[in-house]
């Protein structure tokens, strides 16, 4: 195509072009993504009028669709029935000039082709028209095209071409600004990784459907992918992210009429579009489970994961959006606690348990700060002399509404809310204070204090220093204190636990393994851990006089302790025959209801006074 460039025009033409460009730049400054189409159309109209051309169009390149997309045009084409075939033109269909896919750096002059006729409609005839295509460029990439169509051999001066390029640059900046604004708007309502709607979209829709005037039950399905961390650790976080994108796509396809939302991490929620009773929601959960079960190809590996799924249904007017989300999340957590790959439906029993848990969690921090906690003490008895040789401190909570709560009611909540360390410090401080008080009142009293230690405390950097400070504050020697740990407490960070236990040994503090025999690596731990005592789990002791299997296990543990030079304490002794069997097997110490339940300090003092008055307790005096 021959290009004719006219010589530079007079000064007034130059000024007219400068005024045009400045005016258009000003118009585009205040444009937003909402007003961009109208503003772009106005710009094209001014270009048509100023340059006296037949038509103008603005198109953008869509890399996802691999197509040229119409943004604006002037003059507008006649309305037509059905979708506009030229709104999106794939590059493979020949939209070359329309989209300038070849990424040229200069303006392109070319004859109008058939696809351009369709874009411009009746604005031009098919004879003797030329398009001037000005690329919209960002860096090295072409993001669109500003097109001008003119009849015949119109000459273009360099200033006119430069003016068109300046307008194209303004439109490029507008395109970038609008794209960023649309991206921010999208991210405000969608999850960035999966493109699914955001959580606030779910909450808005839930609130609408749970409004009192509605009468139909609302069903939720909570999906938590099991053990996704394994994928992240073995194949990398990029692979884990891709797995989540596949899960999101599968759930979207399987629940096309429902709202699928990613809560974050490995969690998704399905808001069922149709009214759903519990049985119907459970069937939807089965569908979700099947959708996730198929393996996903990641880095040449076929990776399969299961899911822990919770189901909950609420009647409008009786349950709020946040409460329903909490219910379905609790059901999903229950599935995970059961080993995963399970569906759990939220029930009235769970509702009651949830209410109790919420109440306990809300009040627990205040209790840990010294308002309501107390200690009971269970004596340990020498099976040969029946003297009290030790006491185990056991925490209780005098709840303002629910009465005296046992540890099982709140220890788990303390661990899940990061209060376990603070709770443990309170127990240690209070138990040592009480022991010191008993010793001041009974000079020469030999009694070892046992205090349970949480896994969190064992890996806390200053735990040994804390124990040393408490002992020093109450003038107690290290051997008077025995800290009890569980086998599972050392599994996850053995190196740190070993360092802590060695520090305790330097203080003279003794260490016992509680509930011994229920863990998974008892022998290996005995080889590595600097411990002094094994406490046989009550599950083996309860029927040791009647069950041959329990007898064999207890006998083995006692033999193991003797081989390693460790003391043994049997827990849960409830009858004399069991006590006699343990004594005959060589177990020197026991505790249980046969001797005493855990009791308040004043009740234990009566036992201590009896023992002290009788001159008992000599076996423990060496520890003083």
């Amino acid at each position: 195509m021959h290009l004719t460039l006219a010589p530079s025009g007079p000064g007034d033409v130059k000024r007219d072009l400068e005024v045009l460009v400045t005016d258009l730049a000003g118009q585009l400054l205040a444009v937003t993504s909402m007003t961009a189409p109208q503003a772009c159309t106005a710009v094209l109209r001014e270009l048509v009028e100023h340059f006296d051309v037949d038509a103008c169009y603005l198109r953008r390149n869509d890399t996802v669709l691999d197509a040229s997309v119409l943004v604006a045009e002037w003059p507008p084409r006649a309305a037509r029935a059905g979708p506009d075939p030229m709104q999106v033109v794939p590059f493979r269909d020949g939209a070359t000039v329309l989209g300038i896919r070849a990424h040229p750096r200069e303006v392109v002059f070319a004859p109008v082709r058939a696809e351009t006729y369709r874009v411009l409609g009746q604005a031009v005839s098919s004879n003797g028209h030329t398009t001037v295509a000005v690329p919209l460029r960002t860096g090295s990439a072409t993001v669109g095209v500003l097109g001008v169509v003119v009849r015949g051999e119109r000459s273009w001066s360099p200033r006119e071409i430069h003016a068109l390029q300046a307008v194209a640059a303004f439109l490029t900046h507008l395109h970038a600004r609008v794209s960023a604004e649309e991206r921010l708007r999208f991210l405000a309502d969608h999850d960035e990784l999966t493109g699914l709607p955001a959580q606030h979209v779910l909450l808005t829709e839930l609130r609408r459907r749970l409004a009192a005037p509605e009468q139909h039950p609302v069903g939720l399905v909570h999906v938590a992918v099991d053990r996704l961390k394994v994928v992240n650790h073995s194949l990398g976080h990029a692979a884990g992210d891709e797995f989540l994108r596949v899960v999101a796509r599968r759930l979207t396809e399987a629940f096309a009429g429902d709202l699928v939302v990613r809560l974050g991490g490995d969690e998704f929620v399905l808001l069922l579009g149709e009214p759903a009773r519990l049985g119907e929601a459970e069937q939807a959960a089965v569908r979700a489970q099947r959708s996730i079960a198929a393996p996903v190809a990641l880095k040449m590996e076929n990776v399969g994961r299961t899911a822990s799924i919770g189901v909950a249904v609420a009647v409008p007017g009786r349950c709020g959006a946040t409460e329903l989300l909490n219910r379905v999340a609790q059901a999903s957590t229950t599935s995970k606690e059961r080993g995963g790959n399970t569906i759990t439906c939220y029930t009235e029993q769970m509702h009651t348990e949830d209410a109790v848990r919420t109440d306990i969690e809300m009040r627990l921090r205040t209790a840990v700060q010294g308002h309501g906690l107390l200690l009971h003490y269970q004596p340990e008895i020498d099976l040969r002399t029946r003297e009290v040789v030790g006491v185990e401190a056991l925490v209780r909570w005098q709840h303002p509404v629910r009465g005296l709560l046992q540890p099982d009611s709140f220890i788990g909540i303390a661990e899940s809310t990061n209060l376990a360390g603070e709770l443990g410090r309170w127990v240690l401080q209070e138990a040592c204070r009480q022991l010191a008080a008993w010793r001041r009142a009974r000079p020469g009293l030999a009694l070892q204090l046992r205090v349970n230690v949480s896994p969190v405390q064992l890996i806390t950097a200053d735990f040994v220093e804390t124990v040393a400070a408490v002992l020093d504050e109450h003038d107690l020697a290290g051997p008077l204190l025995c800290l009890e740990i569980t086998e599972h407490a050392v599994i996850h960070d053995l190196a740190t636990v070993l360092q802590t236990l060695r520090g305790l040994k330097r203080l003279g503090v003794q260490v016992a393994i509680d509930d011994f025999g229920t863990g998974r690596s008892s022998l290996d731990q005995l080889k590595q851990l600097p411990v002094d005592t094994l406490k046989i789990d009550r599950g083996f002791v309860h029927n040791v006089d009647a069950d041959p299997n329990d007898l064999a296990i207890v006998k083995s543990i006692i033999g193991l302790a003797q081989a390693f030079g460790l003391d043994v304490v049997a827990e849960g002794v409830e009858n004399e025959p069991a006590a006699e069997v343990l004594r005959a097997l060589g177990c020197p110490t026991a505790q249980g209801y046969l001797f005493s339940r855990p009791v308040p300090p004043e009740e234990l003092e009566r036992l201590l006074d009896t023992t002290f008055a009788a001159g008992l307790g000599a076996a423990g005096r060496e520890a003083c």
Side-chain angles (χ1 to χ4, degrees), residues 182-209:
E182 289 176 343
R183 178 64 176 166
L184 289 175
R185 184 179 293 110
F186 178 85
L187 292 178
D189 293 332
H190 295 80
D191 171 56
E192 184 174 9
L193 178 65
T194 63
L196 293 176
Q199 185 173 353
H200 75 85
V201 176
L202 171 65
L203 283 170
T204 299
E205 181 62 13
L206 264 182
R207 292 187 182 108
R208 184 190 69 80
R209 291 185 56 186

Side-chain angles (χ1 to χ4, degrees), residues 460-469 499-501 503-504 506-507:
T460 301
D462 63 347
F463 179 62
V464 175
E465 289 76 9
T466 298
V467 173
Q499 184 177 354
T500 299
L501 296 184
L504 293 172
R506 288 192 293 271
L507 297 177

Side-chain angles (χ1 to χ4, degrees), residues 502-518:
R502 288 165 183 157
L504 293 172
K505 294 298 288 184
R506 288 192 293 271
L507 297 177
V509 173
Q510 296 197 359
V511 176
I513 297 182
D514 198 13
D515 302 328
F516 187 81
T518 60

Side-chain angles (χ1 to χ4, degrees), residues 32-371:
T32 67
S33 62
M34 301 299 292
T35 61
Q38 298 90 332
C40 290
T41 300
V43 167
L44 298 184
R45 180 174 183 172
E46 290 203 36
L47 291 177
V48 168
E49 293 175 354
H50 184 90
F51 290 107
D52 191 24
V53 295
D54 293 282
C56 274
Y57 58 86
L58 177 65
R59 302 184 70 88
R60 65 177 177 84
N61 294 357
D62 191 312
T63 55
V64 176
L65 298 176
D66 194 30
S68 171
V69 179
L70 181 64
V71 176
E73 60 183 348
W74 189 265
R77 288 170 291 144
R80 66 184 70 198
D84 182 358
M86 296 311 296
Q87 180 65 39
V88 178
V89 179
F91 286 118
R92 65 175 180 272
D93 290 349
T96 52
V97 173
L98 288 176
I100 312 187
R101 193 186 190 192
H103 311 311
R105 293 188 177 275
E106 305 297 335
V107 176
V108 173
F109 295 81
V112 176
R113 298 173 180 249
E115 66 268 19
T116 308
Y117 299 147
R118 295 198 298 274
V119 171
L120 301 174
Q122 300 174 352
V124 298
S125 67
S126 60
N127 297 317
H129 283 79
T130 302
T131 182
V132 180
V134 184
L136 276 59
R137 298 183 61 78
T138 298
S140 61
T142 300
V143 297
V145 60
L146 169 64
V148 177
V149 177
V150 62
R151 184 193 304 274
E153 296 284 340
R154 184 192 192 285
S155 296
W156 293 87
S157 71
R159 288 195 181 93
E160 289 177 320
I161 296 300
H162 292 158
L164 289 176
Q165 289 175 319
V167 174
F170 297 145
L171 291 170
T172 301
H173 291 309
L174 176 63
H175 169 78
R177 184 153 48 86
V178 167
S179 296
E181 186 180 333
E182 289 176 343
R183 178 64 176 166
L184 289 175
R185 184 179 293 110
F186 178 85
L187 292 178
D189 293 332
H190 295 80
D191 171 56
E192 184 174 9
L193 178 65
T194 63
L196 293 176
Q199 185 173 353
H200 75 85
V201 176
L202 171 65
L203 283 170
T204 299
E205 181 62 13
L206 264 182
R207 292 187 182 108
R208 184 190 69 80
R209 291 185 56 186
L210 288 171
E214 297 286 347
Q215 296 298 320
H216 304 298
V218 178
L220 277 187
V221 177
H222 184 287
V223 178
V225 179
D226 294 328
R227 295 175 57 77
L228 184 64
K229 288 183 179 179
V230 175
V231 178
N232 291 329
H233 291 163
S234 59
L235 299 180
H237 285 277
D241 289 347
E242 177 58 23
F243 187 91
L244 290 173
R245 280 190 286 266
V246 172
V247 169
R249 186 168 60 249
R250 289 179 179 176
L251 291 175
T252 302
E253 292 171 353
F255 295 88
D258 306 313
L259 179 61
V260 182
V261 173
R262 180 183 177 225
L263 294 184
D266 58 11
E267 298 180 59
F268 300 83
V269 167
L270 316 176
L271 172 57
L272 304 180
E274 298 294 329
R277 300 191 181 279
L278 191 60
E280 296 164 334
E282 189 173 8
Q283 292 175 4
V286 172
R287 237 184 329 138
Q289 195 175 43
R290 291 172 181 168
S291 298
I292 296 173
V296 178
L298 299 173
K299 291 187 175 181
M300 308 300 291
E301 298 282 346
N302 286 326
V303 178
R305 296 287 88 180
T306 57
S308 298
I309 299 180
V311 177
V313 173
V315 176
R318 300 182 187 176
C319 180
T322 302
E323 182 181 356
L324 181 56
L325 275 173
N326 289 338
R327 290 182 180 184
V328 77
Q330 182 183 343
S332 179
T333 299
T334 301
S335 291
K336 195 171 285 287
E337 291 171 348
R338 291 172 176 171
N341 195 27
T342 304
I343 297 171
T344 301
C345 295
Y346 188 87
T347 62
E348 284 303 317
Q349 180 181 353
M350 293 178 69
H351 176 66
T352 301
E353 293 171 353
D354 187 38
V356 172
R357 177 186 173 86
T358 299
D359 175 64
I360 290 176
E361 184 173 331
M362 292 294 290
R363 300 174 186 264
L364 184 57
R365 183 172 297 278
T366 300
V368 169
Q369 292 171 350
H371 304 280

Side-chain angles (χ1 to χ4, degrees), residues 400-543:
V401 176
R402 304 182 186 280
L404 189 66
L405 297 182
Q406 301 295 313
D408 289 348
S409 301
F410 58 90
I411 292 294
I413 297 176
E415 292 176 346
S416 65
T417 54
N418 296 321
L419 285 174
E422 192 173 344
L423 173 62
R425 285 191 294 272
W426 183 90
V427 171
L428 178 64
Q429 178 69 247
E430 175 61 20
C432 287
R433 184 202 64 76
Q434 182 64 73
L435 178 62
W438 285 333
R439 287 172 59 81
R440 285 194 301 270
R442 301 162 184 80
L445 174 68
L447 193 71
Q448 189 174 63
L449 172 68
R450 298 190 186 273
V451 176
N452 292 283
V453 176
S454 70
V456 172
Q457 290 175 281
L458 286 178
I459 60 175
T460 301
D462 63 347
F463 179 62
V464 175
E465 289 76 9
T466 298
V467 173
V470 171
L471 290 173
D472 184 64
E473 177 183 351
H474 298 292
D475 194 24
L476 296 175
L480 289 172
L481 177 64
C482 179
L483 299 180
E484 297 188 0
I485 65 175
T486 57
E487 292 179 82
H488 76 272
V490 302
I491 292 175
H492 301 295
D493 195 347
L494 181 60
T496 301
V497 171
L498 278 172
Q499 184 177 354
T500 299
L501 296 184
R502 288 165 183 157
L504 293 172
K505 294 298 288 184
R506 288 192 293 271
L507 297 177
V509 173
Q510 296 197 359
V511 176
I513 297 182
D514 198 13
D515 302 328
F516 187 81
T518 60
R520 293 177 293 179
S521 54
S522 305
L523 290 176
D524 185 57
Q525 289 176 4
L526 283 182
K527 287 195 305 181
Q528 300 182 66
L529 298 179
V531 300
D532 305 278
T533 303
L534 304 183
K535 297 192 73 173
I536 306 174
D537 184 75
R538 68 185 66 251
F540 305 128
V541 174
H542 182 65
N543 291 320

